[in-house]
mmCIF file of all heavy atoms in Angstrom:
data_model
loop_
_atom_site.group_PDB
_atom_site.id
_atom_site.type_symbol
_atom_site.label_atom_id
_atom_site.label_comp_id
_atom_site.label_asym_id
_atom_site.label_seq_id
_atom_site.Cartn_x
_atom_site.Cartn_y
_atom_site.Cartn_z
ATOM 1 N N ALA A 13 21.580 77.164 136.272
ATOM 2 C CA ALA A 13 21.071 75.837 135.930
ATOM 3 C C ALA A 13 19.561 75.733 136.111
ATOM 4 O O ALA A 13 18.900 74.960 135.422
ATOM 5 C CB ALA A 13 21.779 74.772 136.769
ATOM 6 N N GLY A 14 18.997 76.474 137.043
ATOM 7 C CA GLY A 14 17.554 76.421 137.288
ATOM 8 C C GLY A 14 17.184 75.352 138.299
ATOM 9 O O GLY A 14 18.034 74.619 138.808
ATOM 10 N N GLU A 15 15.888 75.256 138.566
ATOM 11 C CA GLU A 15 15.382 74.302 139.556
ATOM 12 C C GLU A 15 15.510 72.874 139.037
ATOM 13 O O GLU A 15 15.464 72.631 137.840
ATOM 14 C CB GLU A 15 13.923 74.602 139.884
ATOM 15 C CG GLU A 15 13.728 75.934 140.557
ATOM 16 C CD GLU A 15 12.276 76.243 140.848
ATOM 17 O OE1 GLU A 15 11.380 75.626 140.228
ATOM 18 O OE2 GLU A 15 12.032 77.100 141.703
ATOM 19 N N ASN A 16 15.644 71.951 139.993
ATOM 20 C CA ASN A 16 15.697 70.539 139.635
ATOM 21 C C ASN A 16 15.223 69.705 140.818
ATOM 22 O O ASN A 16 14.573 70.222 141.713
ATOM 23 C CB ASN A 16 17.108 70.143 139.167
ATOM 24 C CG ASN A 16 18.169 70.339 140.233
ATOM 25 O OD1 ASN A 16 17.948 70.127 141.426
ATOM 26 N ND2 ASN A 16 19.352 70.755 139.807
ATOM 27 N N GLU A 17 15.579 68.440 140.822
ATOM 28 C CA GLU A 17 15.110 67.525 141.855
ATOM 29 C C GLU A 17 15.613 67.883 143.251
ATOM 30 O O GLU A 17 14.998 67.521 144.249
ATOM 31 C CB GLU A 17 15.537 66.101 141.501
ATOM 32 C CG GLU A 17 14.883 65.055 142.369
ATOM 33 C CD GLU A 17 15.172 63.649 141.878
ATOM 34 O OE1 GLU A 17 16.342 63.218 141.974
ATOM 35 O OE2 GLU A 17 14.237 62.984 141.405
ATOM 36 N N ARG A 18 16.715 68.624 143.344
ATOM 37 C CA ARG A 18 17.304 68.928 144.653
ATOM 38 C C ARG A 18 17.455 70.414 144.960
ATOM 39 O O ARG A 18 18.003 70.772 145.989
ATOM 40 C CB ARG A 18 18.649 68.228 144.768
ATOM 41 C CG ARG A 18 18.452 66.692 144.640
ATOM 42 C CD ARG A 18 19.671 65.965 144.909
ATOM 43 N NE ARG A 18 19.846 65.897 146.349
ATOM 44 C CZ ARG A 18 20.710 65.110 146.934
ATOM 45 N NH1 ARG A 18 21.472 64.340 146.229
ATOM 46 N NH2 ARG A 18 20.829 65.093 148.244
ATOM 47 N N PHE A 19 16.979 71.273 144.055
ATOM 48 C CA PHE A 19 17.082 72.718 144.256
ATOM 49 C C PHE A 19 15.786 73.398 143.857
ATOM 50 O O PHE A 19 15.198 73.067 142.832
ATOM 51 C CB PHE A 19 18.239 73.314 143.437
ATOM 52 C CG PHE A 19 19.585 72.825 143.872
ATOM 53 C CD1 PHE A 19 20.193 71.792 143.196
ATOM 54 C CD2 PHE A 19 20.225 73.376 144.963
ATOM 55 C CE1 PHE A 19 21.425 71.310 143.600
ATOM 56 C CE2 PHE A 19 21.461 72.906 145.377
ATOM 57 C CZ PHE A 19 22.059 71.871 144.698
ATOM 58 N N GLU A 20 15.360 74.339 144.697
ATOM 59 C CA GLU A 20 14.144 75.113 144.402
ATOM 60 C C GLU A 20 14.399 76.561 144.778
ATOM 61 O O GLU A 20 15.069 76.854 145.765
ATOM 62 C CB GLU A 20 12.966 74.559 145.206
ATOM 63 C CG GLU A 20 11.708 75.363 145.067
ATOM 64 C CD GLU A 20 10.621 74.668 144.285
ATOM 65 O OE1 GLU A 20 10.873 73.605 143.714
ATOM 66 O OE2 GLU A 20 9.524 75.212 144.263
ATOM 67 N N PHE A 21 13.857 77.481 143.991
ATOM 68 C CA PHE A 21 14.000 78.901 144.244
ATOM 69 C C PHE A 21 12.651 79.478 144.637
ATOM 70 O O PHE A 21 11.624 79.135 144.059
ATOM 71 C CB PHE A 21 14.531 79.631 143.008
ATOM 72 C CG PHE A 21 15.812 79.042 142.472
ATOM 73 C CD1 PHE A 21 15.935 78.715 141.141
ATOM 74 C CD2 PHE A 21 16.888 78.816 143.310
ATOM 75 C CE1 PHE A 21 17.112 78.172 140.641
ATOM 76 C CE2 PHE A 21 18.072 78.283 142.833
ATOM 77 C CZ PHE A 21 18.181 77.958 141.490
ATOM 78 N N LYS A 22 12.660 80.370 145.606
ATOM 79 C CA LYS A 22 11.457 81.068 146.058
ATOM 80 C C LYS A 22 11.794 82.543 146.214
ATOM 81 O O LYS A 22 12.863 82.892 146.716
ATOM 82 C CB LYS A 22 10.963 80.530 147.405
ATOM 83 C CG LYS A 22 10.567 79.069 147.397
ATOM 84 C CD LYS A 22 9.264 78.877 146.689
ATOM 85 C CE LYS A 22 8.852 77.410 146.723
ATOM 86 N NZ LYS A 22 7.811 77.130 145.780
ATOM 87 N N SER A 23 10.866 83.409 145.813
ATOM 88 C CA SER A 23 11.109 84.841 145.975
ATOM 89 C C SER A 23 10.912 85.272 147.420
ATOM 90 O O SER A 23 11.478 86.273 147.849
ATOM 91 C CB SER A 23 10.219 85.652 145.032
ATOM 92 O OG SER A 23 8.868 85.325 145.238
ATOM 93 N N SER A 24 10.100 84.495 148.185
ATOM 94 C CA SER A 24 9.881 84.808 149.598
ATOM 95 C C SER A 24 9.591 83.521 150.368
ATOM 96 O O SER A 24 9.289 82.482 149.777
ATOM 97 C CB SER A 24 8.712 85.792 149.756
ATOM 98 O OG SER A 24 7.522 85.202 149.274
ATOM 99 N N PHE A 25 9.666 83.623 151.685
ATOM 100 C CA PHE A 25 9.366 82.478 152.539
ATOM 101 C C PHE A 25 7.855 82.366 152.692
ATOM 102 O O PHE A 25 7.179 83.342 152.986
ATOM 103 C CB PHE A 25 10.009 82.650 153.923
ATOM 104 C CG PHE A 25 9.740 81.499 154.846
ATOM 105 C CD1 PHE A 25 10.550 80.382 154.833
ATOM 106 C CD2 PHE A 25 8.647 81.523 155.702
ATOM 107 C CE1 PHE A 25 10.295 79.308 155.674
ATOM 108 C CE2 PHE A 25 8.382 80.465 156.547
ATOM 109 C CZ PHE A 25 9.202 79.351 156.530
ATOM 110 N N ASN A 26 7.330 81.130 152.480
ATOM 111 C CA ASN A 26 5.896 80.875 152.652
ATOM 112 C C ASN A 26 5.680 79.375 152.856
ATOM 113 O O ASN A 26 6.644 78.614 152.980
ATOM 114 C CB ASN A 26 5.104 81.401 151.447
ATOM 115 C CG ASN A 26 5.616 80.855 150.131
ATOM 116 O OD1 ASN A 26 6.101 79.738 150.046
ATOM 117 N ND2 ASN A 26 5.532 81.658 149.085
ATOM 118 N N ASN A 27 4.413 78.956 152.887
ATOM 119 C CA ASN A 27 4.110 77.534 153.086
ATOM 120 C C ASN A 27 4.679 76.652 151.979
ATOM 121 O O ASN A 27 5.003 75.490 152.214
ATOM 122 C CB ASN A 27 2.605 77.306 153.214
ATOM 123 C CG ASN A 27 2.140 77.351 154.641
ATOM 124 O OD1 ASN A 27 2.938 77.275 155.574
ATOM 125 N ND2 ASN A 27 0.846 77.471 154.836
ATOM 126 N N GLU A 28 4.798 77.185 150.768
ATOM 127 C CA GLU A 28 5.386 76.410 149.671
ATOM 128 C C GLU A 28 6.850 76.088 149.956
ATOM 129 O O GLU A 28 7.356 75.051 149.537
ATOM 130 C CB GLU A 28 5.254 77.158 148.351
ATOM 131 C CG GLU A 28 3.833 77.222 147.826
ATOM 132 C CD GLU A 28 3.729 77.999 146.529
ATOM 133 O OE1 GLU A 28 4.779 78.419 145.979
ATOM 134 O OE2 GLU A 28 2.601 78.194 146.062
ATOM 135 N N THR A 29 7.518 76.974 150.667
ATOM 136 C CA THR A 29 8.905 76.717 151.075
ATOM 137 C C THR A 29 8.954 75.487 151.971
ATOM 138 O O THR A 29 9.788 74.589 151.775
ATOM 139 C CB THR A 29 9.477 77.933 151.833
ATOM 140 O OG1 THR A 29 9.356 79.089 151.024
ATOM 141 C CG2 THR A 29 10.925 77.708 152.210
ATOM 142 N N ILE A 30 8.054 75.444 152.940
ATOM 143 C CA ILE A 30 8.015 74.309 153.870
ATOM 144 C C ILE A 30 7.610 73.038 153.123
ATOM 145 O O ILE A 30 8.181 71.968 153.360
ATOM 146 C CB ILE A 30 7.056 74.602 155.041
ATOM 147 C CG1 ILE A 30 7.476 75.881 155.767
ATOM 148 C CG2 ILE A 30 7.034 73.431 156.019
ATOM 149 C CD1 ILE A 30 6.484 76.377 156.802
ATOM 150 N N GLU A 31 6.648 73.144 152.224
ATOM 151 C CA GLU A 31 6.232 71.994 151.414
ATOM 152 C C GLU A 31 7.417 71.405 150.667
ATOM 153 O O GLU A 31 7.602 70.183 150.622
ATOM 154 C CB GLU A 31 5.155 72.441 150.425
ATOM 155 C CG GLU A 31 4.674 71.352 149.480
ATOM 156 C CD GLU A 31 3.694 71.899 148.460
ATOM 157 O OE1 GLU A 31 2.642 72.437 148.876
ATOM 158 O OE2 GLU A 31 3.978 71.774 147.251
ATOM 159 N N THR A 32 8.232 72.266 150.089
ATOM 160 C CA THR A 32 9.401 71.797 149.341
ATOM 161 C C THR A 32 10.421 71.142 150.261
ATOM 162 O O THR A 32 10.987 70.096 149.925
ATOM 163 C CB THR A 32 10.035 72.959 148.550
ATOM 164 O OG1 THR A 32 9.064 73.474 147.644
ATOM 165 C CG2 THR A 32 11.260 72.493 147.775
ATOM 166 N N LEU A 33 10.649 71.716 151.431
ATOM 167 C CA LEU A 33 11.575 71.093 152.385
ATOM 168 C C LEU A 33 11.071 69.714 152.808
ATOM 169 O O LEU A 33 11.860 68.772 152.935
ATOM 170 C CB LEU A 33 11.769 72.002 153.603
ATOM 171 C CG LEU A 33 12.593 73.265 153.357
ATOM 172 C CD1 LEU A 33 12.474 74.230 154.522
ATOM 173 C CD2 LEU A 33 14.049 72.916 153.074
ATOM 174 N N VAL A 34 9.761 69.569 153.002
ATOM 175 C CA VAL A 34 9.169 68.274 153.344
ATOM 176 C C VAL A 34 9.383 67.288 152.190
ATOM 177 O O VAL A 34 9.781 66.143 152.403
ATOM 178 C CB VAL A 34 7.667 68.432 153.682
ATOM 179 C CG1 VAL A 34 6.950 67.089 153.677
ATOM 180 C CG2 VAL A 34 7.500 69.120 155.029
ATOM 181 N N ALA A 35 9.129 67.735 150.964
ATOM 182 C CA ALA A 35 9.329 66.866 149.798
ATOM 183 C C ALA A 35 10.784 66.430 149.687
ATOM 184 O O ALA A 35 11.076 65.258 149.412
ATOM 185 C CB ALA A 35 8.883 67.587 148.525
ATOM 186 N N PHE A 36 11.717 67.362 149.922
ATOM 187 C CA PHE A 36 13.136 67.010 149.900
ATOM 188 C C PHE A 36 13.458 65.997 150.993
ATOM 189 O O PHE A 36 14.183 65.024 150.751
ATOM 190 C CB PHE A 36 14.010 68.251 150.084
ATOM 191 C CG PHE A 36 14.103 69.158 148.885
ATOM 192 C CD1 PHE A 36 14.379 70.504 149.056
ATOM 193 C CD2 PHE A 36 13.940 68.684 147.595
ATOM 194 C CE1 PHE A 36 14.494 71.353 147.972
ATOM 195 C CE2 PHE A 36 14.047 69.528 146.495
ATOM 196 C CZ PHE A 36 14.323 70.874 146.685
ATOM 197 N N ALA A 37 12.940 66.207 152.193
ATOM 198 C CA ALA A 37 13.211 65.295 153.311
ATOM 199 C C ALA A 37 12.673 63.901 153.026
ATOM 200 O O ALA A 37 13.242 62.907 153.476
ATOM 201 C CB ALA A 37 12.605 65.837 154.604
ATOM 202 N N ASN A 38 11.599 63.809 152.255
ATOM 203 C CA ASN A 38 11.008 62.510 151.919
ATOM 204 C C ASN A 38 11.658 61.850 150.711
ATOM 205 O O ASN A 38 11.350 60.701 150.398
ATOM 206 C CB ASN A 38 9.498 62.662 151.661
ATOM 207 C CG ASN A 38 8.711 62.844 152.934
ATOM 208 O OD1 ASN A 38 9.114 62.373 153.993
ATOM 209 N ND2 ASN A 38 7.594 63.538 152.839
ATOM 210 N N THR A 39 12.541 62.557 150.012
ATOM 211 C CA THR A 39 13.220 61.956 148.865
ATOM 212 C C THR A 39 14.729 61.957 149.110
ATOM 213 O O THR A 39 15.203 61.207 149.940
ATOM 214 C CB THR A 39 12.829 62.655 147.542
ATOM 215 O OG1 THR A 39 12.985 64.062 147.681
ATOM 216 C CG2 THR A 39 11.399 62.349 147.149
ATOM 217 N N HIS A 40 15.474 62.828 148.413
ATOM 218 C CA HIS A 40 16.939 62.767 148.487
ATOM 219 C C HIS A 40 17.574 63.973 149.151
ATOM 220 O O HIS A 40 18.788 64.167 149.042
ATOM 221 C CB HIS A 40 17.521 62.619 147.076
ATOM 222 C CG HIS A 40 16.968 61.453 146.328
ATOM 223 N ND1 HIS A 40 17.187 60.145 146.697
ATOM 224 C CD2 HIS A 40 16.156 61.403 145.237
ATOM 225 C CE1 HIS A 40 16.556 59.340 145.866
ATOM 226 N NE2 HIS A 40 15.918 60.077 144.980
ATOM 227 N N GLY A 41 16.780 64.803 149.807
ATOM 228 C CA GLY A 41 17.314 66.019 150.391
ATOM 229 C C GLY A 41 17.407 67.114 149.341
ATOM 230 O O GLY A 41 17.174 66.873 148.155
ATOM 231 N N GLY A 42 17.719 68.337 149.784
ATOM 232 C CA GLY A 42 17.850 69.420 148.820
ATOM 233 C C GLY A 42 17.981 70.769 149.484
ATOM 234 O O GLY A 42 18.089 70.879 150.709
ATOM 235 N N LYS A 43 17.967 71.805 148.646
ATOM 236 C CA LYS A 43 18.132 73.175 149.112
ATOM 237 C C LYS A 43 17.035 74.050 148.518
ATOM 238 O O LYS A 43 16.717 73.937 147.336
ATOM 239 C CB LYS A 43 19.490 73.727 148.683
ATOM 240 C CG LYS A 43 20.659 72.974 149.297
ATOM 241 C CD LYS A 43 21.975 73.582 148.844
ATOM 242 C CE LYS A 43 23.171 72.788 149.328
ATOM 243 N NZ LYS A 43 23.224 72.486 150.728
ATOM 244 N N VAL A 44 16.479 74.926 149.375
ATOM 245 C CA VAL A 44 15.533 75.942 148.922
ATOM 246 C C VAL A 44 16.233 77.276 149.092
ATOM 247 O O VAL A 44 16.688 77.618 150.179
ATOM 248 C CB VAL A 44 14.222 75.918 149.741
ATOM 249 C CG1 VAL A 44 13.286 77.020 149.261
ATOM 250 C CG2 VAL A 44 13.544 74.562 149.648
ATOM 251 N N VAL A 45 16.317 78.023 147.995
ATOM 252 C CA VAL A 45 16.987 79.313 148.007
ATOM 253 C C VAL A 45 15.915 80.401 147.984
ATOM 254 O O VAL A 45 15.163 80.512 147.019
ATOM 255 C CB VAL A 45 17.948 79.467 146.811
ATOM 256 C CG1 VAL A 45 18.689 80.793 146.892
ATOM 257 C CG2 VAL A 45 18.934 78.306 146.755
ATOM 258 N N ILE A 46 15.836 81.167 149.072
ATOM 259 C CA ILE A 46 14.872 82.249 149.185
ATOM 260 C C ILE A 46 15.533 83.533 148.697
ATOM 261 O O ILE A 46 16.628 83.874 149.136
ATOM 262 C CB ILE A 46 14.417 82.450 150.654
ATOM 263 C CG1 ILE A 46 13.993 81.135 151.298
ATOM 264 C CG2 ILE A 46 13.331 83.513 150.748
ATOM 265 C CD1 ILE A 46 12.784 80.498 150.703
ATOM 266 N N GLY A 47 14.846 84.228 147.789
ATOM 267 C CA GLY A 47 15.389 85.468 147.242
ATOM 268 C C GLY A 47 15.668 85.375 145.761
ATOM 269 O O GLY A 47 16.283 86.264 145.176
ATOM 270 N N ILE A 48 15.189 84.292 145.133
ATOM 271 C CA ILE A 48 15.323 84.120 143.683
ATOM 272 C C ILE A 48 13.925 83.823 143.150
ATOM 273 O O ILE A 48 13.248 82.915 143.637
ATOM 274 C CB ILE A 48 16.313 82.989 143.336
ATOM 275 C CG1 ILE A 48 17.694 83.333 143.896
ATOM 276 C CG2 ILE A 48 16.358 82.771 141.827
ATOM 277 C CD1 ILE A 48 18.734 82.264 143.711
ATOM 278 N N ASN A 49 13.481 84.563 142.156
ATOM 279 C CA ASN A 49 12.112 84.383 141.665
ATOM 280 C C ASN A 49 11.989 83.245 140.652
ATOM 281 O O ASN A 49 12.990 82.584 140.327
ATOM 282 C CB ASN A 49 11.547 85.701 141.123
ATOM 283 C CG ASN A 49 12.209 86.157 139.831
ATOM 284 O OD1 ASN A 49 12.910 85.404 139.151
ATOM 285 N ND2 ASN A 49 11.996 87.413 139.495
ATOM 286 N N HIS A 50 10.762 83.031 140.142
ATOM 287 C CA HIS A 50 10.491 81.917 139.227
ATOM 288 C C HIS A 50 11.192 82.066 137.874
ATOM 289 O O HIS A 50 11.265 81.117 137.103
ATOM 290 C CB HIS A 50 8.977 81.748 139.032
ATOM 291 C CG HIS A 50 8.327 82.886 138.299
ATOM 292 N ND1 HIS A 50 8.043 84.085 138.909
ATOM 293 C CD2 HIS A 50 7.925 82.999 137.020
ATOM 294 C CE1 HIS A 50 7.490 84.895 138.037
ATOM 295 N NE2 HIS A 50 7.407 84.263 136.878
ATOM 296 N N LYS A 51 11.732 83.247 137.593
ATOM 297 C CA LYS A 51 12.487 83.463 136.355
ATOM 298 C C LYS A 51 13.990 83.353 136.595
ATOM 299 O O LYS A 51 14.797 83.773 135.767
ATOM 300 C CB LYS A 51 12.151 84.831 135.771
ATOM 301 C CG LYS A 51 10.710 84.949 135.307
ATOM 302 C CD LYS A 51 10.440 86.320 134.746
ATOM 303 C CE LYS A 51 8.981 86.417 134.297
ATOM 304 N NZ LYS A 51 8.664 87.755 133.769
ATOM 305 N N ASN A 52 14.355 82.811 137.772
ATOM 306 C CA ASN A 52 15.759 82.636 138.172
ATOM 307 C C ASN A 52 16.502 83.966 138.306
ATOM 308 O O ASN A 52 17.713 84.026 138.120
ATOM 309 C CB ASN A 52 16.520 81.706 137.224
ATOM 310 C CG ASN A 52 15.979 80.293 137.261
ATOM 311 O OD1 ASN A 52 15.072 79.980 138.020
ATOM 312 N ND2 ASN A 52 16.517 79.437 136.422
ATOM 313 N N LYS A 53 15.780 85.007 138.650
ATOM 314 C CA LYS A 53 16.383 86.325 138.858
ATOM 315 C C LYS A 53 16.562 86.555 140.353
ATOM 316 O O LYS A 53 15.665 86.277 141.152
ATOM 317 C CB LYS A 53 15.483 87.412 138.272
ATOM 318 C CG LYS A 53 16.092 88.788 138.372
ATOM 319 C CD LYS A 53 15.229 89.843 137.723
ATOM 320 C CE LYS A 53 15.974 91.154 137.799
ATOM 321 N NZ LYS A 53 15.190 92.244 138.236
ATOM 322 N N ILE A 54 17.710 87.054 140.745
ATOM 323 C CA ILE A 54 17.978 87.343 142.154
ATOM 324 C C ILE A 54 17.215 88.602 142.542
ATOM 325 O O ILE A 54 17.471 89.683 142.018
ATOM 326 C CB ILE A 54 19.491 87.515 142.390
ATOM 327 C CG1 ILE A 54 20.224 86.235 142.013
ATOM 328 C CG2 ILE A 54 19.763 87.882 143.845
ATOM 329 C CD1 ILE A 54 21.719 86.368 141.910
ATOM 330 N N VAL A 55 16.254 88.438 143.440
ATOM 331 C CA VAL A 55 15.448 89.564 143.913
ATOM 332 C C VAL A 55 15.757 89.906 145.361
ATOM 333 O O VAL A 55 15.443 90.992 145.821
ATOM 334 C CB VAL A 55 13.929 89.287 143.736
ATOM 335 C CG1 VAL A 55 13.581 89.179 142.267
ATOM 336 C CG2 VAL A 55 13.498 88.038 144.483
ATOM 337 N N GLY A 56 16.341 88.972 146.090
ATOM 338 C CA GLY A 56 16.690 89.186 147.489
ATOM 339 C C GLY A 56 15.474 89.178 148.400
ATOM 340 O O GLY A 56 14.326 89.192 147.940
ATOM 341 N N VAL A 57 15.727 89.120 149.708
ATOM 342 C CA VAL A 57 14.666 89.164 150.715
ATOM 343 C C VAL A 57 15.092 90.109 151.827
ATOM 344 O O VAL A 57 16.275 90.277 152.091
ATOM 345 C CB VAL A 57 14.351 87.773 151.321
ATOM 346 C CG1 VAL A 57 13.675 86.874 150.332
ATOM 347 C CG2 VAL A 57 15.590 87.107 151.883
ATOM 348 N N LYS A 58 14.100 90.721 152.447
ATOM 349 C CA LYS A 58 14.370 91.535 153.620
ATOM 350 C C LYS A 58 14.279 90.628 154.825
ATOM 351 O O LYS A 58 13.264 89.984 155.055
ATOM 352 C CB LYS A 58 13.368 92.681 153.713
ATOM 353 C CG LYS A 58 13.549 93.684 152.613
ATOM 354 C CD LYS A 58 12.628 94.852 152.741
ATOM 355 C CE LYS A 58 12.954 95.788 151.587
ATOM 356 N NZ LYS A 58 11.952 96.762 151.333
ATOM 357 N N THR A 59 15.359 90.570 155.573
ATOM 358 C CA THR A 59 15.405 89.642 156.695
ATOM 359 C C THR A 59 16.359 90.158 157.759
ATOM 360 O O THR A 59 17.176 91.035 157.512
ATOM 361 C CB THR A 59 15.821 88.238 156.223
ATOM 362 O OG1 THR A 59 15.728 87.342 157.308
ATOM 363 C CG2 THR A 59 17.215 88.210 155.668
#
Side-chain angles (χ1 to χ4, degrees):
E15 295 178 341
N16 61 36
E17 191 172 69
R18 300 187 79 167
F19 295 98
E20 175 110 352
F21 306 129
K22 298 286 182 195
S23 56
S24 62
F25 180 86
N26 54 32
N27 268 345
E28 289 179 5
T29 304
I30 303 171
E31 178 185 301
T32 300
L33 288 168
V34 165
F36 286 154
N38 285 332
T39 51
H40 305 294
K43 297 181 185 309
V44 178
V45 183
I46 310 295
I48 299 176
N49 69 15
H50 67 282
K51 294 180 180 179
N52 295 357
K53 184 177 184 226
I54 300 167
V55 295
V57 290
K58 292 183 179 164
T59 186

